Amino acid sequence: MTRSPKADSKGRKLSSFLCFAVYSANLAFGRAYKPILDAFGLTYTQYIALIALSEADEQTVSALGEKLFLESNTLTPILKKLEQSGYISRTRDPADERQVRVSLTAAGRRLLDKEINASLVEATGLGDEFPIVQKSVVRLRDNLLHHTRGDSKKG
Amino acid sequence: MTRSPKADSKGRKLSSFLCFAVYSANLAFGRAYKPILDAFGLTYTQYIALIALSEADEQTVSALGEKLFLESNTLTPILKKLEQSGYISRTRDPADERQVRVSLTAAGRRLLDKEINASLVEATGLGDEFPIVQKSVVRLRDNLLHHTRGDSKKG
DNA sequence: TCCGATTAGATCGGATACGATCTATATTCA
DNA sequence: TGAATATAGATCGTATCCGATCTAATCGGA
């Protein structure tokens, strides 16, 4: 169909942009999860941080940041909030006072052990395709990150 | 998805969460695009808004928001910035003073006609898989949005 | 015609992201 | 040892997102 010249020349429609698909899928995740997470007093990012924390105890902020692709400027405020909420603990490492060790508290662990996950996975409505889509998006992300790394300074 | 109640008591790995894959893919897009968009003085969101604006002239803020899955609280500041940058025009509709009509300026159109797109698509590194991944993510997003609509107030 | 309801944006506050910068601690090496 | 350097977090300013609320304009019914 001959759309106006501008939409055609190079001008694909917005919906054909992968970046927009991911961008809006991320918004959609946030909204789909919100009512569920609200019940636990969590935000989307806080929930993701808790999952990363469930993988190991005594992680440093940097280690956590590598998993989440975030740095201390973003993580510190979030971790402080999670600490205030009682879901995690933050302590300076006595062996190296520069580092802060972060762990789930019992309350935090209980939270994740609830069926929070089941209700959330269901919201994707992807069925059997779930793992396939997941793999593709992971590869996409890694390609993008790799492409970015080609710069000069630190990632 | 019928995943076992708990893949491990420690929880599945963060990387196995689709929500995290999308979340981090979105972060990765932002970073991969940033050096390219910086050269044009654009942020990621502003760029996406411009693409949506390239599809039609004289769109209302609401119409634009439907495409972008955003509302006036998010769009208004962004559109004001794009107006200040000279890439778009904002005018109250004389027929209905409540509505604001938004269009690309000549400068905005020139910007999108540059090869900004080509360099950006390349960064995904997905090759032939590009359209497949794109479709899956779109469906995922729509499922999530549909799931959300059932819950609360406005659709 | 007038008043209430609706609609379209705009504003405000809280919570991310992120670049730039700062502080405190640790390490290196002359 | 001590100054320069490096590292780990923390802080700050800007730009999104989003819920809640506000204002202005339009519409609808009596």
Side-chain angles (χ1 to χ4, degrees):
Chain A
M1 107 176 206
T2 33
R3 293 205 157 271
S4 68
K6 51 182 172 262
D8 254 359
S9 57
K10 156 153 338 166
R12 291 162 308 204
K13 298 203 59 177
L14 177 61
S15 55
S16 77
F17 282 78
L18 181 56
C19 68
F20 176 68
V22 170
Y23 164 86
S24 51
N26 186 51
L27 291 183
F29 258 120
R31 289 171 200 184
Y33 280 23
K34 185 163 198 312
I36 304 170
L37 293 175
D38 268 354
F40 298 91
L42 285 179
T43 67
Y44 184 39
T45 307
Q46 287 168 8
Y47 167 68
I48 287 176
L50 287 182
I51 297 169
L53 283 167
S54 76
E55 293 184 351
D57 287 331
E58 304 295 325
Q59 294 185 74
T60 65
V61 174
S62 315
L64 194 59
E66 270 180 44
K67 289 182 179 174
L68 298 173
F69 303 101
L70 295 174
E71 290 171 39
S72 69
N73 52 4
T74 301
L75 275 178
T76 296
I78 295 172
L79 295 177
K80 283 187 175 178
K81 268 168 209 125
L82 285 173
E83 184 184 35
Q84 277 200 322
S85 305
Y87 295 133
I88 70 170
S89 65
R90 290 165 68 246
T91 342
R92 289 272 165 191
D93 186 338
D96 185 341
E97 291 276 347
R98 291 173 303 180
Q99 300 184 351
V100 171
R101 298 286 176 176
V102 189
S103 297
L104 285 183
T105 61
R109 218 173 293 283
R110 258 199 310 280
L111 193 74
L112 291 184
D113 282 345
K114 301 254 179 216
E115 56 210 70
I116 238 188
N117 285 344
S119 13
L120 293 179
V121 172
E122 210 177 324
T124 66
L126 283 181
D128 292 341
E129 241 178 321
F130 187 97
I132 300 168
V133 175
Q134 194 269 337
K135 267 195 186 57
S136 294
V137 177
V138 165
R139 188 142 31 87
L140 162 65
R141 177 197 63 204
D142 292 342
N143 286 340
L144 287 168
L145 288 174
H146 184 266
H147 180 270
T148 309
R149 242 203 323 266
D151 280 324
S152 47
K153 327 174 102 183
K154 77 158 176 199
Chain B
M1 283 307 325
T2 47
R3 292 186 167 272
S4 63
K6 286 290 160 303
D8 309 280
S9 73
K10 270 300 192 186
R12 291 161 303 193
K13 297 206 58 176
L14 178 61
S15 57
S16 77
F17 283 78
L18 181 56
C19 68
F20 176 67
V22 169
Y23 164 85
S24 51
N26 186 50
L27 291 184
F29 259 121
R31 289 170 201 186
Y33 280 22
K34 184 163 199 313
I36 305 170
L37 293 175
D38 267 354
F40 298 92
L42 286 178
T43 66
Y44 185 39
T45 308
Q46 286 168 8
Y47 167 67
I48 287 176
L50 287 182
I51 297 171
L53 283 168
S54 76
E55 293 184 350
D57 288 329
E58 303 294 324
Q59 295 186 71
T60 65
V61 174
S62 315
L64 194 59
E66 270 181 42
K67 289 181 180 175
L68 298 173
F69 303 101
L70 295 174
E71 291 170 40
S72 68
N73 52 5
T74 300
L75 275 178
T76 297
I78 295 172
L79 295 176
K80 283 187 174 178
K81 267 166 210 130
L82 285 174
E83 184 185 35
Q84 277 200 321
S85 304
Y87 294 134
I88 70 170
S89 65
R90 291 166 66 247
T91 341
R92 290 271 167 191
D93 186 339
D96 185 342
E97 291 276 345
R98 290 173 305 182
Q99 300 183 351
V100 170
R101 297 288 176 174
V102 189
S103 296
L104 285 184
T105 61
R109 218 174 294 285
R110 258 198 310 277
L111 194 73
L112 291 184
D113 282 346
K114 301 251 180 217
E115 57 201 67
I116 234 185
N117 285 344
S119 18
L120 293 179
V121 170
E122 213 177 321
T124 66
L126 284 181
D128 294 343
E129 241 178 323
F130 187 99
I132 301 168
V133 176
Q134 194 270 337
K135 268 196 183 57
S136 294
V137 177
V138 165
R139 186 143 33 87
L140 162 66
R141 175 197 65 206
D142 292 342
N143 287 338
L144 288 167
L145 288 173
H146 184 265
H147 180 269
T148 307
R149 245 206 313 274
D151 278 326
S152 40
K153 39 232 154 160
K154 85 187 258 183

